[in-house]
Structures are given as C-alpha cells and as structure tokens.
Amino acid sequence: MSPFELRYRSLDKIIEKYGDRPGGLIRVLQKAQDLFGYLSREVQIYVADKMCLPIAHVHGVATFYSGFVTAPRGKYTCSICMGTACYVKGAQDVFDRFKEVLGIGEDETTEDRLFTLRATRCIGACSLAPVLAVNEDVHGHVTVDEVVPLIESYRAQETREDGDRIADEPDRPRADQGAAPPPY
C-alpha cells in the first residue's frame, strides 16, 4: 500500500472517531491537513462524501478558518504580523520586501515550494515589533535590510555543500495542486 493510500486509510479512522461529534468536521479537517499538508479539493470532496455533508459546507469551513490552507504550502511559512504595534513600526515595508525578494504575493508559495508568505493579525509579541515567524521561529525587531539575509539563511539550510537541494519534502497529492476553487 502506498503512503498516499495509507493517509486516506488514516483519514477514514479519524472520520470514524470524530465524524459524528459536535465540531467533528473541524477536527477531521485539522487531522486531514496534518496528513496531507493542505486541504486539496480532492480531500475536501472525500471528507464531504464520507461524512455525508455537502461539499459547499466542507469548503466553507475549510476556507473560513485561517488555520486551514487549500493550496500547497512551502516548507517555510513566513508570517508577518500586521497587528497595530507591528504595522506602526514598519511591518508593511517588511512584508513588501518579502514579496519583492520572493516574487510572490500574500498567501502564495514560491515555485520551488520553499516559502509561503502570509500576513497575520497578531503573533502576540508586540514588544518585538515588527515581528514575524518563519514556521515556529520568531524574529523580532525585523528591518527591511534583514529580509534578504533571513531568506538566505533558510535557503542555506536547504543546500548541501555541493549545492544540491535536500529532498525531504513529504509526498503530496498529485491531483489538484492549485487552490481549491469554490464548490459551486
């Protein structure tokens, strides 16, 4: 059995466990995202079918909550805080520099699937404003001039001495690699 099939088998067990509980859909979608990396249209349809729910309902929940993503993410998610303290201290300029250097917009992923760029409302570290998180690593008092060295430091983690990329990306569903379209 392939790793992909094992993920669906695991998802079936999760649906059996949480599918009929109040709030079960959210729990199922959380676990599905953990298994697949994101909630592709294919996974949303599968969950809807198994839980006997309209796909519009499942898609609505998947797109309403900011913790769910419907498109593949990069290995490193750069979340720039746009809360009041960070915004006042220059977070928009830092965000714009990330967009420029990475060549992507908000909620987009670089072609090499290394970086995803997100704006967040508050990270809860106002004393470090402007602040950003790269996955679980929090960086405070970030300036525009620090963006390129920060990106380069994460790229360097991906490169061996001989320049080859390290292939440690988990298998993702091959179908429907784009953002999930509306279900209508």
Side-chain angles (χ1 to χ4, degrees), residues 123-140:
I123 292 178
C126 300
S127 65
L128 299 175
V131 66
L132 66 94
V134 179
N135 295 350
E136 302 300 319
D137 300 335
V138 177
H139 303 272

Side-chain angles (χ1 to χ4, degrees), residues 4 7-8 11 25 28-49 55-56 58-63 67-73 113 171-183:
F4 192 68
R7 289 185 190 125
Y8 276 105
L11 182 55
L25 176 59
V28 167
L29 291 176
Q30 287 171 330
K31 296 292 187 178
Q33 184 167 284
D34 290 345
L35 287 168
F36 293 96
Y38 69 103
L39 299 173
S40 68
R41 182 167 174 75
E42 177 181 272
V43 169
Q44 291 177 52
I45 291 169
Y46 186 85
V47 168
D49 182 54
I55 182 60
V58 173
H59 181 75
V61 171
T63 56
F68 294 130
V69 292
T70 58
R73 289 183 288 191
R113 293 198 35 204
D171 290 337
R172 305 279 189 186
R174 300 217 185 281
D176 190 22
Q177 292 293 315

Side-chain angles (χ1 to χ4, degrees), residues 85-168:
C86 289
Y87 189 82
V88 168
K89 294 221 174 179
Q92 185 65 56
D93 294 335
V94 171
F95 186 79
D96 291 343
R97 182 69 174 142
F98 266 94
K99 287 184 352 185
E100 177 188 334
V101 172
L102 294 174
I104 57 175
E106 182 175 352
D107 293 324
E108 292 181 357
T109 300
T110 56
E111 284 186 28
D112 62 3
R113 293 198 35 204
L114 199 54
F115 296 99
T116 298
L117 184 60
R118 296 189 71 195
T120 62
R121 291 298 134 216
C122 186
I123 292 178
C126 300
S127 65
L128 299 175
V131 66
L132 66 94
V134 179
N135 295 350
E136 302 300 319
D137 300 335
V138 177
H139 303 272
H141 306 293
V142 179
T143 66
V144 171
D145 294 335
E146 294 171 347
V147 171
V148 170
L150 186 65
I151 290 170
E152 288 175 354
S153 72
Y154 283 96
R155 282 195 194 281
Q157 292 179 28
E158 295 302 302
T159 308
R160 295 187 186 128
E161 288 182 22
D162 62 0
D164 292 337
R165 281 284 310 273
I166 298 171
D168 60 357

